[in-house]
């Protein structure tokens, strides 16, 4: 802020300030930072209206942070028309294409990013492209390269945390705990790893310690994802009033993000399907599906909302399509299994539920036990 104000004619300074506000929004869960970022990028373009690729990339980054991915893609392409050698812009383009379900184009974009700059950001994106396609071995190799290439504590923590996530989704609880612990050792302020450790503690029966970690995470950074996980564990342990309090905060926080221009339809669709009103979940899911019909996580959320609303015949083909890339996800497999069971396809339901519980038998405090009970009834 001081640098930009002391050199108001420098467009790069305003762009850097905008990016700092986007980053601060992520770190603090404060959606008002989006408006400050928007103003900074606009100031940069006011100073240099033409060929200002840094400001365009910043605007693309802001649009992606707000989950407005079509807009992010348009702005990234505009920036690349000015400067086709910016790896950061290709990173934003990769993210936008991935979230829009254009996976082949995303793979090409991330390869271009790797060609321009091999670093934590490009390697992590390449890892996710492989994870989406079910190649967990290659995804892990790339994340290990990212961890080795990282120097800043936050970058080390980022790579180690996602190594923990890969292990978690494969049912390797020890590997998951090791990844989260390594992330926290590198950067104690990297709160996703604290929530990850809580997830493992809950799965291994250390509920009190898990709740303490979750409480610390939400107190330091009230991210909706942390709040949902805390509420889920509270509900699973019979503390339903306390869980409802967390869920109320989730709704309020997501509405604040929506008021700041963020698209939270996908997140609210899944949340309401699991913890709220099925009709509300379906309304949000339809909106998300209308804008991103080819994205596998959106397809999964739409199918799950349809199921919760009692429209299982309509949900089943969408749930099957959500797994077409080969993503190894216990949650997606559970959703498919529950939907298949509801339409009476017992064989498909048993197969999907078995896959979910084989991948990670403790993938969720509420849904994993339900998957076991449903599989038992089907068997």
């Amino acid at each position: 802020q001081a640098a930009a104000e002391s050199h108001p004619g420098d467009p790069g300074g305003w762009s850097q300030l905008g990016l700092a506000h986007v980053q601060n929004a992520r770190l603090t869960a404060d959606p008002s930072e989006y408006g400050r970022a928007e103003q900074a990028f606009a100031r940069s373009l006011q100073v240099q209206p033409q060929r200002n690729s840094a400001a365009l990339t910043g605007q693309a980054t802001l649009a992606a942070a707000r989950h407005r991915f079509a807009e992010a893609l348009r702005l990234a392409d505009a920036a690349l028309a000015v400067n086709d050698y910016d790896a950061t812009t290709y990173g934003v383009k990769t993210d936008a294409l991935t979230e829009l379900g254009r996976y082949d184009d995303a793979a090409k974009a991330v390869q271009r990013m790797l060609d321009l700059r091999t670093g934590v950001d490009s390697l992590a994106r390449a890892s996710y492209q492989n994870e989406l396609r079910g190649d967990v071995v290659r995804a892990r190799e790339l994340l290990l390269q990212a961890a080795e290439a990282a120097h800043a504590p936050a970058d080390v923590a980022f790579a180690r945390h996602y190594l923990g996530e890969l292990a978690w989704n494969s049912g390797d609880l020890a590997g998951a705990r090791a990844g989260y612990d390594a992330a926290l050792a590198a950067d104690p302020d990297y709160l996703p790893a604290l929530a990850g450790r809580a997830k493992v503690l809950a799965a291994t029966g250390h509920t009190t310690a898990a709740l303490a970690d979750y409480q610390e995470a939400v107190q330091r950074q009230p991210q909706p994802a942390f709040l949902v996980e805390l509420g889920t564990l509270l509900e699973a342990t019979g503390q339903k009033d306390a869980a409802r309090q967390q869920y109320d905060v989730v709704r309020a926080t997501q509405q604040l993000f929506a008021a700041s221009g963020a698209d939270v339809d996908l997140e609210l669709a899944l949340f309401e399907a699991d913890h709220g009103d099925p009709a509300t979940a379906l309304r949000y899911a339809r909106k998300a599906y209308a804008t991103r019909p080819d994205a596998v996580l959106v397809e999964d959320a739409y199918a799950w909302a349809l199921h919760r609303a009692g429209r299982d015949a309509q949900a089943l083909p969408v749930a099957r399509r959500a797994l077409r890339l080969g993503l190894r996800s216990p949650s997606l497999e559970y959703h498919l299994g529950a939907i298949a069971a509801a339409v009476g396809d017992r064989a498909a339901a048993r197969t999907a539920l078995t896959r979910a519980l084989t991948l990670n038998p403790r993938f969720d405090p509420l849904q994993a036990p339900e998957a076991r009970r449903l599989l038992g009834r089907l068997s």
Side-chain angles (χ1 to χ4, degrees):
Q1 184 73 52
E5 290 178 351
S6 63
H7 298 86
D10 176 18
W14 292 110
S15 294
Q16 288 296 318
L17 176 59
L19 288 171
H21 281 303
V22 174
Q23 175 79 341
N24 217 34
R26 184 183 68 80
L27 293 174
T28 63
D30 179 2
S32 67
E33 291 284 359
Y34 291 153
R36 299 184 186 104
E38 193 169 11
Q39 292 172 3
F41 295 133
R43 186 71 180 270
S44 177
L45 286 166
Q46 183 181 14
V47 174
Q48 183 184 332
Q50 303 297 322
R51 301 191 65 78
N52 189 342
S53 62
L56 291 169
T57 297
Q59 288 182 325
T61 304
L62 174 60
R66 284 170 155 168
H67 296 181
R68 288 153 44 173
F69 296 110
E71 180 183 348
L73 179 59
R74 177 180 60 78
L75 288 163
D77 281 338
L80 291 170
V82 177
N83 178 11
D84 189 47
Y85 295 91
D86 191 318
T88 299
T89 311
Y90 271 103
V92 182
K93 181 171 182 174
T94 299
D95 296 342
L97 288 166
T98 301
E99 296 294 342
L100 290 169
R102 294 172 55 180
Y103 299 109
D104 291 342
D105 291 337
K108 293 174 185 175
V110 79
Q111 184 57 57
R112 173 67 172 159
M113 187 186 186
L114 284 164
D115 293 341
L116 290 168
R117 184 181 69 214
T118 301
V120 175
D121 49 357
S122 55
L123 289 165
R125 286 180 170 90
S127 170
Y128 185 53
Q129 293 301 312
N130 282 274
E131 183 186 357
L132 281 169
R133 292 162 175 81
D135 191 347
V136 177
V137 173
R138 180 59 178 157
R140 187 173 186 277
E141 289 173 353
L142 288 163
L143 277 178
L144 285 170
Q145 290 180 41
E148 292 167 2
H151 299 291
D155 288 342
V156 176
F158 174 86
R160 292 295 175 185
H161 168 254
Y162 279 101
L163 282 165
E165 291 288 276
L166 277 179
W168 170 264
N169 284 326
S170 299
D172 178 6
L173 300 189
R177 177 65 188 267
Y180 302 139
D181 284 346
L184 289 169
D187 183 359
D189 292 326
Y190 192 79
L191 297 182
L194 182 62
R197 185 176 73 183
K199 191 163 58 177
V200 175
L201 287 168
T204 52
H206 300 88
T207 305
T208 302
L211 288 170
D213 275 356
Y214 275 133
Q215 292 284 3
E216 181 182 350
V218 300
Q219 286 168 7
R220 292 171 63 185
Q221 188 185 103
Q223 289 281 5
F226 302 163
L227 291 161
V228 171
E229 290 185 22
L230 171 58
T232 301
L233 183 56
L234 288 167
E235 185 177 349
T237 54
Q239 302 175 67
K240 294 188 177 181
D241 289 340
R244 276 193 292 271
Q245 291 176 4
Q246 300 303 320
Y247 298 154
D248 288 342
V249 178
V250 171
R251 292 186 180 93
T253 303
Q254 293 289 31
Q255 292 303 329
L256 286 174
F257 276 99
S260 72
D263 182 345
V264 294
D265 291 336
L266 172 62
E267 290 77 12
L268 283 172
L270 272 174
F271 170 73
E272 292 292 347
D274 285 332
H275 305 291
D277 175 51
T280 302
L282 186 54
R283 185 174 74 250
Y284 284 123
R286 279 177 171 154
K287 289 170 63 180
Y289 190 68
T291 57
R292 292 193 276 158
D294 297 318
V296 293
L297 297 183
V298 176
E299 291 170 324
D300 168 66
Y302 183 43
W304 193 235
L306 285 166
H307 165 69
R308 291 297 199 189
R311 304 188 179 191
D312 297 294
Q314 188 180 350
L316 186 57
V318 184
R320 284 176 172 154
R321 181 170 163 77
L323 284 158
R324 68 188 182 279
L325 294 180
L327 176 64
R328 293 164 59 85
S329 166
S331 293
L332 267 65
E333 294 285 3
Y334 165 65
H335 290 169
L336 175 59
I339 293 167
V343 300
D345 189 342
R346 298 170 64 89
R350 284 195 298 268
T351 299
L353 292 169
T354 300
R355 279 198 301 258
L357 293 169
T358 300
L359 285 170
N360 186 345
R362 300 179 181 87
F363 67 89
D364 182 272
L366 291 172
Q367 294 185 352
E370 178 56 32
R372 282 191 290 274
R373 285 191 292 269
L374 181 55
L375 183 60
R377 290 198 297 271
L378 291 168
S379 299

